[in-house]
Amino acid sequence: MSTPPVKIAPSLLASDFVNLARDVARVEDCGADWLHVDVMDGHFVPNLTIGPPVVKALKKVARRPLDVHIMITNPETYAEQYVKAGADVLTCHLETKPEALGLIRKAGARAGLAVNPETDIAPVKDLLGEVDMVLVMSVHPGFGGQSFMPEVLSKIETLRSWGFEGDVEIDGGIAPDTIGDAAAAGANVFVAGSAIFGSGDWAATIHTMRETAEARLGVGA
């Protein structure tokens, strides 16, 4: 079974919102493959972030795909709006209403399905035909800067054991010292916020993370 290429997706939640366009350009120049955009509604998760107008503004300056993760209770209501705003990949949660997956694809984006740390991965198996990506959360969603939860790596291994050859993304506590184990489990898309934006050298951090992930995935071996 082949694994898709490694993609590093810096989480803009950790960027400087006062200088968002500047940080987007800079992190793209430093090697970002995707730009990860966290949408929180204050209901499904205990925090509020951005809506479609900000995604639309980001689309005007972004040169990389927008990987939009909607941590909201009613994704079926807003899926089309986020795709129209510019989401290239739009991920909703298994814990909400996964019927939004069909709406995401119909609207023209790649569909992702996210699973929280405490959620059983088993129900995802019946939905794999409707998704382009599965996002395994390695922290509890809602806040940045949390510690990596290695116990979720078995979910990634299970996904790959089912023969899923799409993208498997992992989000939460991903850094140079945790990305290797996540890659070894079968993840290929890595969301990192504070590990990149909080580092002194974004390019070096992204380069190190990519090299580590590719080595553990056996890319080029």
Side-chain angles (χ1 to χ4, degrees):
M1 186 185 73
S2 61
T3 301
V6 167
K7 302 177 185 75
I8 306 297
S11 173
L12 298 182
L13 187 64
S15 68
D16 179 358
F17 275 26
V18 175
N19 297 289
L20 193 51
R22 180 205 66 189
D23 278 8
V24 164
R26 181 182 168 195
V27 82
E28 288 176 334
D29 288 343
C30 288
D33 299 295
W34 288 358
L35 299 170
H36 189 79
V37 182
D38 289 303
V39 174
M40 307 178 192
D41 65 356
H43 186 259
F44 179 64
V45 292
N47 207 343
L48 284 166
T49 54
I50 66 177
V54 178
V55 173
K56 185 176 181 179
L58 283 168
K59 191 65 175 179
K60 293 178 181 178
V61 298
R63 292 168 287 151
R64 301 287 184 270
L66 295 181
D67 172 33
V68 181
H69 176 196
I70 49 175
M71 291 166 272
I72 63 178
T73 300
N74 49 345
E76 77 289 354
T77 302
Y78 294 99
E80 185 177 3
Q81 291 184 42
Y82 278 101
V83 176
K84 285 184 175 180
D88 296 286
V89 184
L90 188 63
T91 299
C92 64
H93 270 260
L94 176 66
E95 298 84 4
T96 58
K97 297 174 181 175
E99 56 263 33
L101 293 167
L103 299 174
I104 294 169
R105 281 183 163 180
K106 185 177 180 181
R110 298 179 71 235
L113 184 63
V115 181
N116 282 341
E118 66 276 10
T119 300
D120 185 3
I121 195 71
V124 174
K125 189 173 186 179
D126 292 333
L127 297 169
L128 290 180
E130 302 176 43
V131 304
D132 302 289
M133 181 176 78
V134 178
L135 165 55
V136 174
M137 293 298 299
S138 45
V139 296
H140 296 289
F143 297 95
Q146 298 180 63
S147 297
F148 178 71
M149 300 171 68
E151 58 268 29
V152 306
L153 295 180
S154 61
K155 294 180 181 180
I156 298 172
E157 294 168 347
T158 297
L159 283 165
R160 294 304 189 194
S161 75
W162 289 337
F164 182 62
E165 295 188 345
D167 288 313
V168 174
E169 184 172 54
I170 187 163
D171 181 2
I174 297 300
D177 62 341
T178 56
I179 194 170
D181 288 344
N188 70 291
V189 183
F190 305 93
V191 178
S194 54
I196 292 173
F197 289 102
S199 71
D201 189 332
W202 298 359
T205 301
I206 291 172
H207 178 74
T208 296
M209 292 176 70
R210 187 187 309 282
E211 280 201 331
T212 301
E214 289 181 345
R216 295 297 293 274
L217 277 169
V219 175

